[in-house]
């Protein structure tokens, strides 16, 4: 999507769809609120019932311009009380209408925009305009994406390049999460990583034999029950000058989670192609870094596996040897993400980064606790938590800090090995995070993001369509580059 900042009159925009924003306060006098449309304002106002349009954020009403202005359709979109997030959702509604109407160019006339609002409307429009419809074959289901977006009233052009890079990253993440597991399996994910290599990004892939040689007992065990062999993926972005900091991002890359021998129900595994969401965010962030080229060094570390059932599946009671030397007793093969991440985190510590952040669709408990808006943040580093909260606020993404107390580690005590891989139902997302902490060296600032809720939506929510959302790409890219 190309974004153009326009200063001309919105009513003259020769686009498929022109979205005009109206706040709640202005919704009772639509003729005035739509005055930028000239003569057309009164006719549109007369055709819209006041109860139908309250100006609530995300609300939209479509009217055909019937040739009275160059734009083919006009979308009247609600701006609510005009917060940045309401602008984001208004733009999302415009993006959705544009896709439904099959237009490939659109314009946003939402009033004067601050830099934060400019970013918000670009990201919101892209999310609303996104659809994963490549497997629809009927012509009437084929709806192209918008190629050219004209934004009126934008503050300045300085936010544009970075926001476009973030949108490209989010789109990659959404596509990877939405693709069936038959398409995105471990080697396919490795190929996506290879394709991101450039003059500043190197990519190293280990196959299943090398993973064994490298003492990655967690990735090996989870991956061995599948005909699709595991891959370990290491992306490395180096700035041209001196790096301000070195960061490691670790992503859970379970391309399908059937649960293993602790098999999930059909309903439970229906959407488990989304279980590589953490690695999808890592790849999306690297897609953005390739364009933004910040002065931080970034490692992207991904354990890519399928958690399946065959004659070689790992078993309950097995004892795994994780790369850092610790042993894990298996009590449930469906608690597999933490085993994969244990090897990734151990490897990340060897790189001696200043900070480690891992992302994983790790627990159903995080979904139960926080729903689809909030990613669960676990860290004992208050400064890091504050920084991530700031970036999430800028990105309009939800983050909620959860407790990580040492005393719950007792729940992970094992009879035969150092720890077991489940800690019971109570505080399920916290015990998963405590499990991960066993594989992070003391003294390295580390945060774990359980993104099980925000990664994939079963139904439309806020400005998102059903499916992969790409959430946390914006938060992390902003955290790395702001
Ligand atoms: N991938 C799932 C978690 C998940 C659930 C992600 C729902 C997205 C939506 C994870 O591997 C899992 O199965 N976790 C188990 C852990 C339990 C066995 C301790 C869970 O949450 O039930
Ligand atoms: Mn699982
Ligand atoms: Zn899983």
């Amino acid at each position: 999507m190309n974004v153009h900042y326009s200063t001309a009159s919105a009513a003259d925009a020769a686009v498929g769809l022109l979205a005009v924003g109206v706040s709640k306060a202005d919704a009772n006098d639509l003729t005035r609120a739509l005055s930028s449309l000239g003569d057309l304002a009164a006719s549109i106002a007369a055709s819209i019932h006041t109860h139908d349009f309250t100006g609530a954020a995300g609300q939209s009403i479509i009217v055909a311009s019937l040739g009275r202005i160059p734009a083919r359709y006009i979308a009247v979109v609600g701006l609510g009380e005009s917060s940045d997030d309401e602008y984001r959702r208004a733009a999302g509604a415009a993006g959705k209408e544009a896709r439904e109407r099959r237009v490939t160019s659109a314009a946003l006339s939402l009033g004067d925009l601050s830099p934060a609002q400019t970013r918000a409307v670009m990201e919101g429009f892209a999310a609303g305009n996104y659809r994963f419809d490549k497997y629809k074959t009927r012509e009437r289901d084929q709806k192209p994406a918008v190629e050219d977006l004209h934004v009126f009233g934008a503050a300045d052009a300085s936010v544009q390049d970075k926001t476009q890079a973030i949108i490209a990253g989010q789109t990659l993440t959404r596509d990877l999460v939405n693709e069936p597991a038959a398409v995105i399996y471990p080697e396919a994910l490795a190929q996506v990583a290879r394709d991101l290599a450039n003059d500043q990004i190197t990519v190293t892939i280990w196959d299943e034999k090398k993973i064994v040689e490298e003492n990655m007992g967690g990735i090996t065990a989870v991956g061995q029950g599948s005909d699709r062999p595991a891959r370990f993926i290491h992306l490395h972005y180096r700035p041209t000058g001196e790096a301000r900091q070195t960061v490691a991002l670790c992503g859970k890359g379970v391309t399908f989670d059937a649960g293993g021998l602790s098999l999930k129900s059909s309903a439970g595994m229906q959407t488990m192609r989304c279980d590589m969401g953490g690695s999808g965010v890592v790849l999306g962030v690297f897609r953005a870094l390739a364009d933004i080229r910040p002065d931080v060094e970034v490692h992207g570390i991904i354990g890519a596996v399928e958690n399946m059932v065959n004659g070689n599946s790992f078993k309950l009671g097995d004892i795994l040897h994780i790369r850092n030397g610790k042993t894990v007793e298996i009590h449930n093969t469906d608690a597999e993400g933490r085993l994969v991440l244990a090897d990734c985190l151990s490897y990340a510590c060897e790189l001696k980064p200043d900070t480690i952040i891992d992302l994983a669709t790790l627990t159903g408990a995080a979904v139960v606790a926080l729903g689809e808006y909030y990613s669960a943040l676990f860290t004992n580093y208050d400064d890091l938590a504050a920084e991530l909260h700031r970036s999430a606020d800028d990105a309009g993404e939800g983050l909620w800090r959860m407790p990580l107390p040492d005393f719950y580690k007792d729940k992970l005590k094992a009879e035969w090995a150092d720890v077991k891989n489940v800690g019971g139902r109570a505080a399920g997302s916290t015990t998963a995070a405590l499990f991960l902490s066993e594989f992070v060296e003391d003294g390295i600032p580390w945060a774990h993001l359980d993104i099980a809720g925000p990664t994939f939506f079963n139904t439309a929510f806020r400005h998102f369509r059903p499916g992969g959302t790409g959430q946390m790409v914006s938060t992390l890219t902003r955290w790395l580059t702001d």
Side-chain angles (χ1 to χ4, degrees):
M1 186 175 78
N2 303 307
V3 180
H4 316 272
Y5 289 161
S6 303
T7 49
S9 161
D12 295 334
V15 291
L17 179 136
L18 166 63
V20 185
V22 176
S23 69
K24 268 186 175 167
D26 293 339
N28 52 22
D29 188 354
L30 273 181
T31 307
R32 210 190 46 171
L34 300 174
S35 59
S36 65
L37 297 176
D39 297 347
L40 208 49
S43 326
I44 295 177
S47 71
I48 297 178
H49 260 287
T50 44
H51 352 271
D52 292 342
F53 187 80
T54 62
Q59 211 185 11
S60 67
I61 291 200
I62 285 272
V63 286
S65 70
L66 303 175
R68 289 172 66 185
I69 58 170
R72 181 153 171 217
Y73 297 105
I74 299 154
V76 181
V77 296
L79 295 173
E81 260 121 55
S82 304
S83 68
D84 293 354
D85 192 57
E86 288 171 311
Y87 270 78
R88 180 177 295 110
R89 283 153 58 202
K96 179 167 187 237
E97 298 286 9
R99 188 93 186 218
E100 294 300 328
R101 306 280 156 173
R102 297 182 165 78
V103 302
T104 55
S105 63
L108 295 175
S109 176
L110 307 179
D112 288 333
L113 304 172
S114 67
Q117 284 168 336
T118 306
R119 294 193 301 250
V121 302
M122 286 168 64
E123 287 183 32
F125 185 91
N129 195 241
Y130 179 85
R131 260 171 75 109
F132 188 73
D133 55 7
K134 64 189 268 200
Y135 297 112
K136 297 267 192 196
T137 63
R138 279 183 308 223
E139 208 179 339
R140 70 177 144 99
D141 291 331
Q142 275 158 20
K143 296 174 179 175
V146 164
E147 280 156 26
D148 289 290
L149 175 66
H150 301 264
V151 181
F152 289 90
D156 66 88
S158 63
V159 299
Q160 183 175 336
D161 290 350
K162 189 167 170 174
T163 310
Q164 294 233 61
I166 289 172
I167 290 171
Q170 290 169 321
T171 305
L172 174 63
T173 307
R174 287 172 190 143
D175 284 343
L176 292 175
V177 168
N178 284 329
E179 281 287 1
V183 177
I184 294 297
Y185 47 90
E187 170 55 27
L189 211 53
Q191 191 53 45
V192 172
R194 278 186 204 104
D195 291 343
L196 287 169
N198 65 19
D199 54 319
Q200 283 176 271
I201 297 175
T202 56
V203 178
T204 309
I205 313 284
W206 290 351
D207 68 10
E208 71 278 19
K209 291 194 200 79
K210 177 78 171 160
I211 290 170
V212 173
E213 280 165 29
E214 291 286 344
N215 302 313
M216 296 186 151
I219 296 176
T220 298
V222 178
Q224 74 193 31
S226 169
D227 291 347
R228 299 285 197 184
R231 294 290 182 264
F232 176 77
I233 303 167
H234 180 182
L235 305 103
H236 185 189
Y237 166 81
R238 252 175 293 225
T240 41
E242 182 94 12
R244 188 158 53 77
Q245 265 219 13
T246 301
V247 173
L249 301 179
C250 297
K252 171 177 173 180
V254 177
T255 57
F256 188 70
D257 183 10
L261 288 171
S262 310
L263 193 65
K264 287 184 185 293
S265 66
S266 287
M269 71 174 85
Q270 181 63 47
T271 61
M272 278 302 133
R273 67 181 192 280
C274 80
D275 214 18
M276 36 55 69
S279 65
V281 172
V282 172
L283 293 166
V285 169
F286 270 80
R287 174 69 187 77
L289 293 179
D291 287 345
I292 301 172
R293 299 178 181 255
D295 59 352
V296 280
E297 183 174 354
V298 188
H299 295 281
I301 296 157
I302 293 169
V305 291
E306 269 190 346
N307 188 24
M308 299 284 283
V309 186
N310 71 16
N312 196 41
S313 292
F314 76 129
K315 302 173 186 78
L316 293 103
D318 278 359
I319 292 176
L320 313 186
H321 297 259
I322 303 299
R323 184 171 167 93
N324 75 344
K326 290 195 183 176
T327 54
V328 182
E329 193 172 297
I330 300 304
H331 286 241
N332 190 322
T333 62
D334 197 11
E336 85 296 342
R338 62 194 77 183
L339 304 170
V340 171
L341 279 176
D343 280 327
C344 293
L345 290 167
S346 305
Y347 179 93
C349 290
E350 295 163 20
L351 304 170
K352 303 273 172 240
D354 296 303
T355 310
I356 299 176
I357 297 181
D358 77 75
L359 299 112
T361 48
L362 202 63
T363 65
V367 189
V368 172
L370 299 177
E372 43 284 86
Y373 182 67
Y374 297 100
S375 293
L377 165 64
F378 296 88
T379 182
N380 283 327
Y381 291 85
D382 293 348
D383 292 346
L384 179 56
E387 287 174 23
L388 289 169
H389 271 297
R390 204 173 318 128
S391 299
D393 285 347
D394 286 348
E397 296 177 331
L399 205 58
W400 198 266
R401 190 157 174 197
M402 300 279 274
L404 195 59
D406 271 351
F407 48 73
Y408 282 165
K409 281 191 181 167
D410 287 352
K411 295 176 188 285
L412 296 167
K413 276 198 176 142
E415 188 68 30
W416 318 100
D418 296 334
V419 282
K420 56 179 182 173
N421 77 327
V422 290
R425 269 172 62 80
S429 60
T430 290
T431 53
L434 286 170
F435 178 92
L436 297 180
S437 74
E438 297 284 337
F439 305 93
V440 181
E441 256 171 51
D442 284 345
I444 304 182
W446 161 67
H448 158 58
L449 293 172
D450 193 331
I451 57 171
T455 292
F456 185 96
F457 290 169
N458 292 311
T459 50
F461 177 64
R462 283 164 48 80
H463 50 300
F464 294 107
R465 301 300 190 88
T469 65
Q471 290 194 93
M472 288 300 123
V473 170
S474 182
T475 295
L476 286 177
T477 306
R478 290 181 193 291
W479 176 74
L480 286 167
T481 60
D482 279 350

